[in-house]
Amino acid sequence: MDSLDIAAQLLDHPLDSYPKNPIKVIGSCNGLLALQRHWRNEVYLLNPSTKKHQLLPNIVFDSESHYNIPVISQFGFGYDASTDDYKMVRIVMSTKQVFVYSLETNSWKRVQDFSHHSSSTIRLRGGGAFAGGALNWVEVKSDCCPLLITAFDLKHEKFFAVPLPDEVTNEESPFTYCNNLSVLGGCLSVTCRNMRNKGYYDTWVMKEYGIKESWTKLFPFSPSPKEAYLKAIAYSECGNKVLLRLETPDVYHFCWYDLKEQTSHEF
C-alpha cells in the first residue's frame, strides 16, 4: 500500500474470541495467517481471502517434563520452498523442546532441542520473522542485552546463528535493546533502541541474508511519545517510505517515515 488514508477494516474470520482472550496473530506468509486462540491452546491457519481455516492437531508433550510447568512457547510460521510446504515451528521455552508442523502431512514432529549460546537466562523476541528461508528471533539476555539472532532453517530443520551488526553488539555499544525483528523488502530488519539516548532507535536491514557485513543502517528515528517501542512494518509501494508501528502500554500508533526527506507523518 501507499496510504493509510483508507480506514482499516475489521478482518472477518470464523474463529470466535472474547474481549479478554483475543485471537493472537503468530505470523503470516504468502497471504496466509497463523493464529493462536491462547485460552484453548489452539493454533489455526487462515486464508483471509477464502475464509477457509484449519485447526492444527495438538502436540503430545512429555508429561513428566511439563508437569505443573506452564507451556510458554515461541512460534514461527513460514514456507519451505524446497518441498512446497508451509511449516510452523513451536519452541517450548521451559523445556527447550522444538516441534515442527507440516501443512502437507498435517502433523507435528519433534526435532532438535533449542540450545542458546549463553549460560544466562535467555528470552526470544521477534515473532519468528521469515527471511532467507528461515525463521528468526533475537536472543536477549535477562538484562535486555542482545546476543545474536537465532534462526531455524525450514529446509534442513536446524538452528543456526545470524550475527547482529558489530555496532549493536560490541561492549561499548549504546544499543542494548532490540525490538521485534521484521522483514523489509524481503530483507531481515532489526530495530535497536539507543539506551544512552532512550528517545532514539536505529533500524537496520540485512541486504544479503546471513552475511554480517551486509547489515546497513536504514535510518534513525525518535518516536513520540519517547516511551513507545518501535517496529518497522513494510516499505510503501513506491519504496520511499517505511511504515512504522509505535507501541505504548495503552495503544498502537502508525506512521510513515520518509527515507528521502527524513520526516515522519503519524496517524
Side-chain angles (χ1 to χ4, degrees):
M1 62 180 179
D2 209 31
S3 172
L4 290 179
D5 295 334
I6 300 175
Q9 300 294 316
L10 185 65
L11 176 63
D12 180 23
H13 63 81
L15 309 181
D16 63 304
S17 60
Y18 301 96
K20 293 183 179 180
N21 297 285
I23 299 293
K24 178 182 178 181
V25 179
I26 294 173
S28 64
C29 184
N30 296 340
L32 298 181
L33 293 176
L35 306 173
Q36 182 185 22
R37 188 152 50 179
H38 185 72
W39 75 98
R40 291 188 183 178
N41 198 29
E42 294 177 342
V43 179
Y44 293 82
L45 295 182
L46 170 68
N47 186 326
S49 298
T50 64
K51 302 299 191 295
K52 291 183 178 180
H53 69 284
Q54 179 164 316
L55 172 64
L56 274 59
N58 290 328
I59 297 175
V60 179
F61 294 109
D62 178 356
S63 59
E64 292 185 5
S65 62
H66 287 83
Y67 182 70
N68 287 335
I69 299 176
V71 182
I72 300 174
S73 301
Q74 282 283 349
F75 288 90
F77 176 59
Y79 176 69
D80 181 359
S82 68
T83 57
D84 190 26
D85 191 12
Y86 289 89
K87 293 181 177 180
M88 179 94 65
V89 174
R90 181 173 184 176
I91 306 172
V92 182
M93 298 307 297
S94 58
T95 63
K96 303 300 185 280
Q97 293 179 0
V98 181
F99 299 86
V100 175
Y101 168 82
S102 162
L103 180 59
E104 183 177 1
T105 64
N106 189 34
S107 63
W108 293 91
K109 66 178 179 180
R110 185 176 172 184
V111 296
Q112 73 170 105
D113 288 356
F114 168 67
S115 59
H116 53 73
H117 302 80
S118 170
S119 58
S120 304
T121 301
I122 293 295
R123 290 176 290 171
L124 295 179
R125 287 184 176 148
F130 178 63
L135 296 167
N136 300 268
W137 298 266
V138 172
E139 280 193 19
V140 182
K141 293 190 296 186
S142 56
D143 58 2
C144 290
C145 292
L147 294 172
L148 46 74
I149 295 172
T150 287
F152 185 85
D153 187 311
L154 290 179
K155 177 180 179 180
H156 300 101
E157 298 182 345
K158 292 184 177 181
F159 287 99
F160 63 98
V162 177
L164 285 162
D166 284 336
E167 189 173 331
V168 171
T169 57
N170 66 53
E171 292 183 358
E172 298 182 357
S173 170
F175 299 102
T176 56
Y177 183 92
C178 286
N179 250 20
N180 288 335
L181 294 172
S182 58
V183 180
L184 293 178
C187 297
L188 189 64
S189 173
V190 64
T191 301
C192 301
R193 191 174 192 180
N194 189 324
M195 298 305 287
R196 292 179 189 163
N197 186 346
K198 294 186 178 182
Y200 279 85
Y201 288 86
D202 274 359
T203 295
W204 299 71
V205 291
M206 193 177 223
K207 294 190 173 181
E208 294 183 59
Y209 184 78
I211 306 299
K212 182 178 182 178
E213 292 73 22
S214 73
W215 280 112
T216 302
K217 190 184 296 185
L218 194 60
F219 61 90
F221 186 77
S222 179
S224 178
K226 294 186 181 297
E227 295 76 21
Y229 293 114
L230 183 70
K231 181 179 180 180
I233 301 295
Y235 286 116
S236 62
E237 186 176 4
C238 64
N240 294 331
K241 297 182 291 184
V242 177
L243 180 63
L244 303 176
R245 186 189 76 189
L246 309 176
E247 177 186 351
T248 66
D250 301 320
V251 69
Y252 289 128
H253 300 277
F254 292 90
C255 73
W256 284 115
Y257 182 85
D258 190 306
L259 296 170
K260 183 177 180 180
E261 301 295 332
Q262 298 183 354
T263 58
S264 63
H265 176 54
E266 295 188 13
F267 291 80

